[in-house]
Amino acid sequence: GAPAWFRPYLLDAAPMAGATSLDKDVKEAVDCYVKTDAFGEASGEDPREKALEVVLEALRASKVQLLEIVLHLEAPLNDSSNPQGRRQATKFLAECLKDATVQKSLNFKHVLTFIHFFSSKLCDWQCIEGAVSGLTTLLLQQAPQLRTLQEDDGTPVVVAMTRALFKGVHTPSHTQQVRKTVLDLVRVLLENWKSDVETLGFDLGEGVVGVIEEERDPRNLMMAFALGRRLLEDFGNTCISQEALTTLFESLTSYFPITFTPPKDDKYGITGDDLRAGLNA
């Protein structure tokens, strides 16, 4: 049987009723991605990139459907004893969803199902990066469909998802890359979904402040400063409690004076002047 979260997708899969199992090469590629722990081989190449491309080519050629891949991933997605497997399986689905051909194949039922799935993974520490990445892709690529979708109680799906994000993810506890992924998602929500997320009221302000506070990495600080500014300028008193405002003020002023000097081997091109300009904007 299919995982419970994916049953709505199954209902839409009548044309695939005769499908049996994944093609051998595709199956091996999926398993390689999920089971690979190393970040690269001696050649410097990540075997997961090659594995992903094999699967994407099969999806583009309609040799396999995303449903079949999800069914194959049921075991690692639900294996409580294998956090690395859950992490990789979630990330793999998120990577598949970035493909334009896959996006075109999704209808509203698929979109809703994946939103619910990734939202449910926000409380699983190992799966947060993949879940947040998947949600960001859906918000950017499936906005017209998402704007029509509601939960059973009438709450817009995006509002429920945002609430789950702020409740389930303690951003400062994660690595720089995961924090950046969360910052990207929050930026999309504030920029593209203002009328939806502002219905959260003070919960929105507290959530955004919780995401950006304690940030210290220059790559993320530029984004954090921009989010703080947008929160203040676009949402104001209806979404920022006095407590959240105080926390935001204390968080931002803690960076004064900015004395950052990039290392000699810096790859990112962020200077102390950039940070000062971002904070003062």
Side-chain angles (χ1 to χ4, degrees):
W5 67 271
F6 212 71
R7 283 172 191 154
Y9 200 150
L10 264 179
L11 295 175
D12 224 38
M16 283 187 52
T20 53
S21 59
L22 288 179
D23 174 86
K24 180 175 179 289
D25 291 341
V26 174
K27 179 180 181 297
E28 289 179 352
V30 175
D31 291 343
C32 172
Y33 192 103
V34 172
K35 295 177 182 178
T36 298
D37 294 325
F39 284 94
E41 298 173 317
S43 63
E45 296 183 355
D46 188 339
R48 288 178 299 214
E49 293 182 4
K50 292 182 178 180
L52 176 63
E53 189 56 35
V54 168
V55 176
L56 290 179
E57 288 179 359
L59 285 167
R60 294 165 191 154
S62 299
K63 294 179 180 178
V64 63
Q65 294 190 34
L66 194 57
L67 169 61
E68 295 173 280
I69 295 172
V70 170
L71 295 179
H72 183 68
L73 288 173
E74 179 179 6
L77 283 170
N78 293 287
D79 187 351
S80 60
S81 66
N82 185 3
Q84 176 70 0
R86 297 198 311 277
R87 175 180 181 274
Q88 294 296 85
T90 304
K91 191 173 180 180
F92 182 77
L93 284 178
E95 290 297 317
C96 287
L97 282 177
K98 292 179 181 179
D99 186 76
T101 301
V102 174
Q103 283 292 328
K104 291 177 182 178
S105 72
L106 302 180
N107 63 29
F108 79 93
K109 193 175 294 183
H110 306 152
V111 172
L112 181 60
T113 300
F114 274 110
I115 284 284
H116 285 163
F117 167 68
F118 287 126
S119 294
S120 74
K121 290 298 183 181
L122 292 172
C123 59
D124 185 335
W125 177 278
Q126 296 292 338
C127 298
I128 286 173
E129 182 178 8
V132 171
S133 176
L135 290 170
T136 302
T137 297
L138 290 167
L139 287 175
L140 290 172
Q141 302 297 328
Q142 300 291 338
Q145 294 199 74
L146 276 172
R147 293 188 192 281
T148 68
L149 300 178
Q150 296 182 336
E151 302 293 354
D152 292 339
D153 63 0
T155 302
V157 165
V158 171
V159 173
M161 182 219 78
T162 306
R163 187 177 284 118
L165 173 71
F166 293 146
K167 181 180 179 181
V169 181
H170 183 248
T171 306
S173 300
H174 291 273
T175 63
Q176 180 272 332
Q177 179 57 44
V178 177
R179 299 198 307 273
K180 180 183 182 301
T181 305
V182 176
L183 288 166
D184 278 330
L185 175 55
V186 174
R187 176 186 59 80
V188 170
L189 288 168
L190 297 188
E191 289 181 357
N192 300 348
W193 300 82
K194 180 177 184 296
S195 62
D196 293 275
V197 297
E198 67 183 357
T199 63
L200 290 170
F202 288 165
D203 287 345
L204 176 65
E206 292 171 6
V208 174
V209 171
V211 167
I212 67 178
E213 67 178 338
E214 302 181 35
E215 184 57 65
R216 290 292 182 269
D217 191 287
R219 292 166 288 180
N220 292 352
L221 280 175
M222 298 296 292
M223 299 173 65
F225 294 157
L227 288 179
R229 182 169 65 251
R230 183 173 289 275
L231 179 67
L232 292 170
E233 292 178 351
D234 293 356
F235 296 88
N237 294 335
T238 59
C239 294
I240 310 174
S241 66
Q242 187 60 47
E243 181 180 357
L245 184 62
T246 300
T247 302
L248 179 61
F249 175 78
E250 292 175 348
S251 177
L252 294 178
T253 55
S254 70
Y255 299 108
F256 283 109
I258 292 179
T259 57
F260 172 72
T261 301
K264 293 181 180 179
D265 59 349
D266 177 57
K267 302 177 182 178
Y268 306 106
I270 298 174
T271 66
D273 287 340
D274 293 329
L275 293 176
R276 282 185 282 273
L279 184 56
N280 293 323

